[in-house]
Amino acid sequence: MPGLVSAKTPAPRISLPSSDNNQIRTTPDKPEPGNSKPPSPIPKRPPSPSPSTSRTRPSPDRSSGKKKPQTPDTAWKSPAVIIDDSALDNPDLGPFLLKLARDTIASGEGPNKALDYAIRAAKSFERCATDGEPSLDLAMSLHVLAAIYSSLGRFDEAIPVLERAIGVPEVSKGADHALAAFSGHMQLGDTYSMVGQLDKSIECYKEGLKIQIEALGETDPRVAETCRYLAEALVQAMQFDEAEKLCKQTLEIHRMHSAPASLEEAADRRLMALIYEAKGDYESALEHLVLASMAMIASGQENEVAAIDVSIGNIYQSLCRFDEAVFSYQKALTVFKSSKGENHPSVASVYIRLADLYYKTGKLRESKSYCESALRIYNRPVPGTTQDEIAGGLSDIAAIYESVNEPEEALKLLQRAMRLLEDKAGLQSTVAGLEARVGVMYYMVERYAESLNSFQNAVAKLRASGERKSAFFGVLLNQMGLACIQLFKIDEAAELFEEARAILEQEYGPCHQDTLGVYSNLAATYDAMGRIEDAIEILEYVLKLREEKLGTANPDFDDEKNRLTELLKEAGRSRNRKAKSLENLIDPNSKRSKKETTRRWGGLGFRI
């Protein structure tokens, strides 16, 4: 999900439910908000947020050459080996096989053998159900089975197993059933997140939180952990208002149960700062970061203080307080160099922030120097550096090269970042964002066919992950429509502009600059198609909006008014006329086209 939080989904690993888990959670926490990168449309939790589709899939059925369809009730029943059905009726066999599965995982023998044991255990528990009612042991075995499937990258098989598991417990029967139901929903949410279906993931987390609150009450510290977990997911999905409410609830609970300036409170404040930064409330974000920094200083967390200093520098930069931003960055740089070494990716990340700052202040030589220093680190990463870190750094450097009008260099870096992430599970939205930026670079260098291909790949990934209604998706459709115009695919462009209009009207409203830009594009396309009345209707609507709500000082107003006048004059003529609007969109040599490219389309560029 393109978003404001970098998508650093942990690598798939087996996370087994435990009957003594008093936190009512069986999956690892998400990264701390302080480790998230600054906004970059591509998203960040995103919430979002955002942030690969080529994941490992189960082997197809050899007899047919095709993968058999599975349902929630049957997918988990496919044994890896031949099972003696009569032995599974023994009520002692299920617990024994489940223990074998756990021990096999713990011993590091590999998940395939454990998978066989878990499948057998689940079948045995189901057969030995008392009075036909499945037991919690069945739910536990299904959780283990789904975790093993996930560790193998077989998420499509893990999901129906977990859907079966959450139907086993009955919350009204007590705490044990509530624990099983909570664990199932959270694990299912994590699995949906790994395949990029963030909306479904959030719904599962919400249901898990509801169950936990009913079992523990609204002020239990474990509820605070789940609230923050859900808030981070909402940030990735760019649902900042809802994320803010949950984060405030988390902060209030930790104030009740923790000492002042606790580490838990510091983590809450860092997340709150991220939310306020995304909403443009930089002063409030700065306040929370300063309080978080004080708590970390009191706890002796030197590296965490440095990470917060980087975030503070980002806020100062947004407020155009550049000297203070440089001071914060240099403080963090000194700590990272002394504690982690001069070639650590944390050092490179600060170099990138300084490069961005010096670009904004017009010091291009210093900006390029810092970019080169960061690239040297990423070209020779120290042991322990993840591919996600390298890809994120390359993406940020590419954004700077794009800003200084070096699209070829930016294109190389983005393609390299994509190669690093293309085989990573759960990063479809992040890869889609990178592909969209690659499309923009191709468009800038007038390689329109390659640009359209990149946009199509990005759109397909976002549709597959369920992200079809975000503003990011709307802007991407608009840019894809412009690429179609350049390739004379007018009908396809009209469809894309219409879909983009519907999305941006919903997300931004009709008066937003991006929405107005799509209106203008769609009117020009209708004109090119000979649909004069439709073009006139759109332009009249746009002019009415500008006159009544936005004012007429915008230079686009006169241009749109002149276009409308021309269309009204031609409305009574034959349709066999010259398509002026299309000519203006396509012909880069016409004087008017160059003017309109600067004035009309410049504000619609796909900015990541």
Side-chain angles (χ1 to χ4, degrees), residues 412-485:
K412 293 177 184 177
L413 293 172
L414 289 172
Q415 290 173 330
R416 183 179 164 192
M418 283 175 54
R419 287 194 295 270
L420 290 171
L421 298 179
E422 60 187 359
D423 293 326
K424 291 280 189 177
L427 296 181
Q428 290 94 329
S429 295
T430 302
V431 175
L434 291 172
E435 285 198 283
R437 293 176 60 185
V438 168
V440 172
M441 295 299 101
Y442 279 134
Y443 191 93
M444 291 175 64
V445 298
E446 300 183 1
R447 294 162 63 177
Y448 300 119
E450 292 165 291
S451 174
L452 179 58
N453 183 60
S454 293
F455 288 139
Q456 288 172 335
N457 290 337
V459 166
K461 286 183 173 63
L462 292 175
R463 289 190 193 277
S465 65
E467 187 175 341
R468 305 181 182 184
K469 297 182 179 180
S470 68
F472 174 81
F473 190 66
V475 174
L476 173 55
L477 291 173
N478 175 66
Q479 190 69 47
M480 185 174 169
L482 292 176
C484 288
I485 288 290

Side-chain angles (χ1 to χ4, degrees), residues 88 90 93-94 97 119-129:
L88 297 177
N90 185 344
L93 184 60
L97 289 171
I119 290 174
R120 295 188 187 197
K123 290 179 69 69
S124 178
F125 282 127
E126 184 177 43
R127 290 193 175 191
C128 299

Side-chain angles (χ1 to χ4, degrees), residues 131-144:
D131 297 329
E133 292 188 6
S135 67
L136 291 182
D137 289 328
L138 172 60
M140 180 68 70
S141 65
L142 293 174
H143 293 169
V144 173

